[in-house]
Structures are given as structure tokens and as C-alpha cells.
Amino acid sequence: MCGIVGIIGEKGVAPDIIDALRRLEYRGYDSAGIATIENGHLERRRAEGKLRNLESRLLSEPLQGRTGIGHTRWATHGRPIERNAHPHMNGRVSVVHNGIIENFRELKAALEPKGYVFESDTDTEAIVHVITEELDQGATLEQAVKNALSRLHGAFALAIIFAGHDELMFAARQGSPLAIGHGTGEMYLGSDAIALAPFTNAITYLEDGDWAVLRRDGMQIYDRAGARVERPLVKSGASSLLVDKGNHRHFMAKEIYEQPEVISDTLANYIDMTTGTVNFPDLGIDLAKVPWVTLSACGTAYYAGLVAKYWIERYACVPVEIDIASEMRYREPPLGSGGISVFVSQSGETADTLATLRHAKAEGERVVSIVNVRTSTIARESDALLPTLAGPEIGVASTKAFTCQLAVLACLAIALGKARGVITAEAERDLVQALIEVPRHMSTILGNEKQFKAIAHDLSKARDVLYLGRGTSYPLALEGALKLKEISYIHAEGYAAGELKHGPIALIDENVPVIVVAPQDDLFDKTVSNLQEVAARGGQVILVSDAAPEKVGCKLAAHIALPVVSSFTNPLICAVPVQLLAYHTAVVMGTDVDQPRNLAKSVTVE
Ligand code: F6R
């Protein structure tokens, strides 16, 4: 995943930029580059592969500038070759970028006829030209950056420098993290505090929508609207390659907020952003001929699989058998005859999932795993690995790993549908576009944290909570209930909304909050009928939906507004509010959010 560094220093900054980039190597990358201001001019060096290649380049062609930006690139748009490596620049501006610019095709199409020449296949280069166009129209540097940011759609972190403006750097954050480091007579910028640990531990984290102007003696931060804002200065504990909590009180919060970035990273592994198509690795089996898919996992990972059942059956017309691993391993269902078995696991060490995988293998199935820890046993024992790029997940309650699992499973559904001729090229582009927009929509929800805190106060007083959902929102109801009970210790159950009247409706009274996950998909009206049944019995309905509250025709205790997205990606979007509700409730209850009682992160016993 891309790493960003920027330094305004007192001496030549290239060696320190390399040092900081080395500390970002753990994120994974395939090329690297650096640009500095040399006597007023922008100069850059880039190299494919490891940082040592960039270092040898710098040995033969050194850079002396005292202001510079650096980047480790993890390819999203365009192959990992030098031409696509960052920084991207023209004579006036140089940019490094982490994230995805969703509307780069539109921007490029508008800029090229005006004479702006693109030299790479990247989305990032559009930023260079958008800023330049603003300058050409007479904007000041600050105005150009601010205006350009308002023209970019997507999730991104940026560092920007300008020719002729030594000791000046701009930073911007929308979805992807960015930390400003305060030195003595020097300023730093990094994707995380770890990158800056050798220079400073005085850190200011930018918040979503923030952009900042850095000078050698300080900085100013502005919000999206251009108003000056203050962000706290924190002491980072990052002295080694330790994952820290950033600005957050808990790892779980940090991991929830990282989702726009890690979803971008994960999607970039399976999607060709340039063509808007799924670019799936060879699983060693002809996807066109796969007769069925078997899915198995535990806990939250199982719920990701359950969403995938709906997706694969709907978009690829392949039947899916799914079971929790602890049941499937002893049920020992007959498998084989050309099917694929997919195992989903964050840790890759879950004993039941591993045992089920071994059963599937013994039955002659093609074993594919979706795993976050690539060196894990499940990853190693699989015929094919589809990694999630969530990064280390420290909070015991799974959050970002879950949504990354959904991202991979969504791509698998498209790949299967495409191979079988069920999805047309146009439908594929629409589905892929919907996925590409997920990080931005997640950022929108994350930017509205206040409403979750208010509802959490009410939830914290409940003894029991019900979650309801239909279709792909049913697994989200299960996940919401699991998240709430594991970290707040409040009893919660998830039900398929249509199942309500077959039993659980007996639980409803005015003391039971009922959280209804109901995006406006083709099942919305059905779910609303169930919601009305709850309201008629005095239940406290909390609606999670992109529909206006008036649409449900009854009194709601609360409404969590979702952005309007494709029904395909609703599960990814709905994951964020159910995570935030659980998180804030646990905070109100004062529980040990990151290490809830009795739970382990890696369940290596059955
Ligand atoms: C819930 C949670 C667990 C895990 C389950 C499987 O928040 O984290 O339910 O999802 O223990 O673990 P992995 O994904 O490591 O196989």
C-alpha cells in the first residue's frame, strides 16, 4: 500500500526521506520515488522495485534539495513501472498520493483537450494537471490546492510541492491517513507516525477533509470548507515498527476509520482501475465450469461469507453451500466433483476453519482462502490465496478485516459471473464502479460520528437489542448483533426480518431497541412492513437506511442516514454504522473495547 513522506528540512532531505520510506516498507510496494526542489526547480528520481534501486539511482544522480516528497507505490492504476511511479509532476507542481481518484477518467478527458499532457497511466497525474489548470486560471497556490481538492472524488492522502517555493508543502487527507510531524526548524509529513519516528514523536493527525500548509517553522490546517481548524498535537509512541493507535482512543476505532484506505488497497489488488474491470488471479480452476461454491468460516468471517452467498447466487448464478466451520468440520459434507471451497479468515489460524479446509482438500475440492495474514497456516495450506489487504488488525472485534473480506468476495462474485457469461461487460463496469466508490461513501459515514454517540447512550441502557435485516442486510444484522454483544456485553440477536413473527416478536416491548438495517433495495418495502410490526408493539426502532424516515410511515426512535449507493455494495456501507454503534456503546459502558473479556483474536483451539 502506498506510503507518503514529506520533509521541509535544514539540509538536503533525500537521505531522511529514504529512511522514512524504509519504515513504510511494511505496507508493501512495487516502486518508489522522490522529488525535491533543487535551486527552485523540481527534480525527481524514481525506480521500479525495492528502495535500494532508488538509493543507487540517487548515488549516481544525487538530489540536494531541502524540501522534498517521497513515495512507495503499490500499483492501482497502471503497471508497476518507473513511468507510473510517484512523484508525478510537471515543471510547476509535484504530487505523491495514496488512495484512488475515482473521477480521474473524467478529469483526464476534460484536461487533455486543453493541452495538459499525461505521461503516465495513473489516476494521480490528474491531480498534477488539475492544480496546474487552477494556477493557469490565476489562482494562488493555496487557492489552487483548495479548488483542486474540491474537484477530486475518492479517498486520498496527498503531499504537494511547487517549483520556486522552497520551504513550502501542502498536505491533504480524504479517507487515507496522514500525520504531520513537528521538528525543530523542520516539518515532516508521513502516512503514519512510524515513518516519522526517527525525526519526531510530536504528531498532528489530519482529519478527513483537512488540508494543511506546511512551512519550516510551522503549519496551518484548514477544513474542507477552508476554515482554519486546530488539531491536537499528540506524542506518538511509535519508536519501532509497532502499530500505534494514531489519534484514536482504541485500536478498534482506528481500524474502523482505516476502512476507506484498506478497502481501496484491497480492491486495487483485484480490480484494474484503468479499465474498470475485475482482474482476478488464476485460481487454477476454470471458473466457467465451477458447479458450486462451498463457503466456510467462523464468526464475523462467516457473516462475510453469508453476504457472498447472496452475491454469488445472484450475480454469478452459482449455487453456494455455506456453514460455520465448527459445524461443517464434523458434518463432513460430501464435496468434490469440481467445486471450489472458499475459506475466509482474518488470522488464517482459526482451528475450525483450518480443519474444514483440510476436509475439503481431502475431498478433492479446489481450496481457495481469503486471508489477512498471508503467512498463516490457512494461507499456506490453500491451493490459491486471495489476500485481504487490511493491514494488522489489533482490536479483537473484527472490523476492517470484515469489510476487506467483503471486498474480495464481491470481486469473486463478479469474476465468477463474468467467466460464466452471466455478467455483461457493461454490468461488470457498473458493479466495479460501485465498488470503487465504497471508500468515499464510508468516509461520509465516518465523518458523521456524532449521531452514533447519541444513539449509543440509549443503547447502553438496554438489556437486549434486536437487529433485523433482509437479503444481504440479514448477515449485517447478525454482524451488528455480534459486534454489540462482544464488546459492550449487551445481549443482542440478529434475525432475518421475515423470521420475526415466527418467534422473536414475542421479545418486543418498549424497552427493546430494534435496529433495522434497511437500505433501499428491492426488499426495502418488505423490511418496512416488519419494522411497522415492531413499532406497533412499542419497540424502539432505530433505522439504518438511505431512505428518508418519513418513508417508513411510523415513529422511529432514531434514524442513521446512509448515502445512496448501489444495492450491490450496500453490505460494505452498512457495516460501518453497525460497527460504530457497537463501538460507541462499549465506550459509554466503559468496557475493554480492544480486548473484551473471554475473547481471543486468534482462535487456535476448537
Ligand atoms: C468477531 C470476531 C470473530 C472472528 C472469528 C474468526 O468480531 O472477530 O468472530 O471473526 O473468530 O476469526 P478469523 O477471521 O481469524 O478466522
Side-chain angles (χ1 to χ4, degrees), residues 5 13 40 65 130 148 235 273 305-306 327 334 337 348 367 416 423-424 433-434 586:
V5 173
V13 290
V130 170
K235 277 239 168 313
M273 301 285 176
L306 204 50
E327 286 300 311
S337 310
V367 167
L416 275 164
I423 292 179
T424 62
Q433 186 57 31

Side-chain angles (χ1 to χ4, degrees), residues 63 92 172 259 282 288 320 336 371 444 457 503 570-571 578 606:
L63 291 176
R92 299 169 76 180
Q259 289 178 110
D282 182 8
V320 176
V371 168
T444 307
H457 270 97
N570 270 327
V578 302
E606 63 172 305

Side-chain angles (χ1 to χ4, degrees), residues 21 187 198 308 398 499:
L21 289 177
M187 288 298 286
S398 188
E499 189 65 11

